[in-house]
Amino acid sequence: MKVDTKEVNPAFRSIIQKPGQKVFLDANFFIPPDRSKVAKVTPYSFADFKECWLIPLLSEFAGLAIHESVYDELVDDNVKKYAEEQTSCNPPKLKIHYDSELNHSEEALRNTYLKETLI
């Protein structure tokens, strides 16, 4: 993989410049890495992962969100509990978006996007 270090990624720049904008995260942002099956390392504990990654991430960026299907992928009890805590704090540090909350225009946009990406 080539990494271009001369040009700034415009999407990354946008997130840094406007940390309150809505950014949807994948479940992998919440799941601690575990390389213990391929290397002789101790799995990263959720407590350490939360301290080093999740707390700074959710504290710095106010518009972080996940879709309900991503929330369903958070099967580890510690991970799911932490996500729930972040959605219920005041102000919420994480928003869960549900398909049932979409208005007609948003639903049409989602369906068009899904149709195009699944082709």
Side-chain angles (χ1 to χ4, degrees):
M1 176 172 75
K2 270 185 148 178
V3 177
D4 184 353
T5 58
K6 294 180 183 177
E7 298 294 324
V8 175
N9 179 302
F12 183 70
R13 175 185 288 162
S14 174
I15 292 169
I16 297 301
Q17 290 175 336
K18 300 174 193 164
Q21 67 182 297
K22 189 179 296 183
V23 176
F24 282 87
L25 302 176
D26 186 60
N28 292 330
F29 275 83
F30 295 89
I31 300 169
D34 181 358
R35 305 262 185 237
S36 63
K37 293 178 182 160
V38 295
K40 293 182 179 180
V41 296
T42 304
Y44 212 141
S45 74
F46 181 73
D48 289 343
F49 183 71
K50 181 173 76 170
E51 186 74 27
C52 293
W53 174 250
L54 291 174
I55 291 172
L57 180 72
L58 292 166
S59 296
E60 188 64 34
F61 299 98
L64 299 179
I66 58 176
H67 184 266
E68 65 183 306
S69 62
V70 170
Y71 177 73
D72 292 340
E73 292 178 37
L74 304 179
V75 295
D76 180 88
D77 290 339
N78 290 324
V79 174
K80 188 156 250 177
K81 180 180 176 200
Y82 183 72
E84 289 169 353
E85 289 170 0
Q86 300 314 297
T87 63
S88 62
C89 64
N90 192 12
K93 292 186 177 187
L94 181 67
K95 169 87 170 112
I96 301 175
H97 287 266
Y98 297 93
D99 286 343
S100 61
E101 297 173 347
L102 296 176
N103 65 36
H104 182 69
S105 298
E106 292 168 333
E107 189 173 346
L109 181 62
R110 184 210 56 215
N111 291 341
T112 301
Y113 175 77
L114 288 175
K115 185 185 290 184
E116 292 296 320
T117 59
L118 297 175
I119 293 177

